Every structure is written in structure tokens, then in C-alpha cells.
Amino acid sequence: EGFGSLCRIASLFVGRALIAGGTSAAGTCQVWVAEFDAALSLIERTATVVLKASEKPAGEQLKGVLEPALAFLQQVTMPAVSFSGTLEHRRMEFLSHWAVFYKHFDSDVVGQVLQRLIHVIESPPAEDAVKLQRRALDTLISLGKQGALRPAQLESLYTECSRLAGKLNPAARGKLIEALAAAVAACGNLEIARRSQI
């Protein structure tokens, strides 16, 4: 219950930052970005410890952690009223931190996170394009290393790697391949024959 309450309180600050940041003057907008960052940092510091404690033994305690964690993820990924490169960069950092939860969520949730990252990799916003593309790739690598991608998402990533390979510069292409390799290595449910093919 304590973690759920903390998520709900932090969600209020996140929601306010996503809305108010778009209606503020440029200088004031940075205040809302800072509030967004502070709310995420507060949850990130406690989430991993709380999740590990609730996984053993799994049961109602785990459910009580996963439900607010999913709700908080959904709040964080809501569109902002106006674009901020700093906010988007911090949002993708959060998606990396939240990878420990993805194995517990429905595959659709993980698929949406994957597609969000692929979109930034393929078509990064004009503001801070290189920085945001690099952050999206680093987050994707983190998801792969932590075993967050299931066989279905891994197949999707493989398809996207094949499609995007010729569009990316060598550095970005290398990171994309690294993400795929990490995901293959960490995906225990992937058939051995398919693992060798990829």
C-alpha cells in the first residue's frame, strides 16, 4: 500500500508537469521538467527494492506492487502538451529503469514500449535529435540485457533491425545490433534453432 500511495502521489506531479509545461513560458517550463524528473527519481529509488521484496513469495503482495507500477508507467508515457527534449530524454531513462517490471506486464505493454523506442530511433525529433536517438538506443540495449523482451517482441525487434539497418549511421546501427544481440542472449524462451538464425 505504501508503494501504491507513493506512485499515486508521484503521478500527480508527473501529470501536472506534462500539462503545465506546455502552457508556461520557456523559463518556467524548465521548472516543470525538473518536477517531472524529481517525481520519477522518487519512484525509481524505491521501485526495484519493493519489487524484489514482493516477488518472494509472489502473490497478493506482488499484485499490489505491479498494479501501481503499471499505472505509473502509463502516466509517465502520456503525451506532453508541448515537446521538451530534456523531458523526453528523462522519459526514456525511466523506461530503462522500469525494465525490471516488464516481465510481469502483458506483452502488449512491452510491445508499446518497444515501438515507442523504435519510433525515436527511426525518426528522432528535430530538437536534440542525436541525443534522443542515442538515449533510445541505450534504453533498448538495457531492455535486452535485462531480459525484458519476450520471443514475440524479439522477433519484432529483429524485423525492425533489418528494416532500419540501411537508414542509420554506423554508430546507431552498431547500437541497434548490440540491443538485438543482448535480447537474444537474455531471452530464455527463444528456441535454440531460432536463436542461431538471428
Side-chain angles (χ1 to χ4, degrees):
E1 182 58 35
F3 179 69
S5 297
L6 192 62
C7 285
R8 286 191 290 274
I9 293 169
S11 290
L12 296 176
F13 288 103
V14 167
R16 186 169 72 166
L18 293 174
I19 295 172
T23 60
S24 305
T28 312
C29 183
Q30 293 306 310
V31 175
W32 296 114
V33 171
E35 184 168 302
F36 182 84
D37 174 60
L40 266 57
S41 297
L42 175 65
I43 298 299
E44 289 167 348
R45 280 196 292 268
T46 59
T48 303
V49 175
V50 171
L51 177 61
K52 286 182 178 179
S54 66
E55 285 176 327
K56 301 176 182 179
E60 283 302 313
Q61 188 177 359
L62 178 59
K63 181 181 178 182
V65 170
L66 296 180
E67 288 180 352
L70 177 58
F72 189 68
L73 171 66
Q74 291 168 337
Q75 179 64 64
V76 171
T77 53
M78 289 290 289
V81 171
S82 66
F83 178 81
S84 164
T86 305
L87 188 148
E88 292 302 324
H89 190 277
R90 184 64 181 90
R91 198 194 312 245
M92 285 187 287
E93 284 182 347
F94 169 81
L95 294 178
S96 179
H97 285 293
W98 227 234
V100 293
F101 285 96
Y102 296 153
K103 66 180 179 181
H104 295 292
F105 293 157
D106 289 341
S107 59
D108 287 349
V109 175
V110 185
Q112 289 168 11
V113 171
L114 179 60
Q115 286 306 311
R116 186 186 195 98
L117 296 172
I118 291 296
H119 177 72
V120 176
I121 292 166
E122 181 178 12
S123 305
E127 180 184 326
D128 297 328
V130 174
K131 183 179 179 181
L132 291 175
Q133 184 188 62
R134 187 183 303 119
R135 179 62 258 180
L137 286 162
D138 287 340
T139 296
L140 193 57
I141 291 170
S142 176
L143 265 59
K145 288 181 176 179
Q146 296 193 53
L149 302 183
R150 300 165 195 172
Q153 282 94 43
L154 204 154
E155 291 291 349
S156 177
L157 178 58
Y158 176 72
T159 300
E160 294 295 350
C161 283
S162 301
R163 183 176 68 85
L164 295 176
K167 299 181 180 180
L168 302 177
N169 62 53
R173 185 163 58 247
K175 280 183 170 289
L176 188 60
I177 294 171
E178 181 183 350
L180 178 62
V184 170
C187 186
N189 296 329
L190 187 65
E191 295 180 358
I192 296 176
R194 184 56 180 151
R195 187 186 301 271
S196 62
Q197 288 172 351
I198 295 177

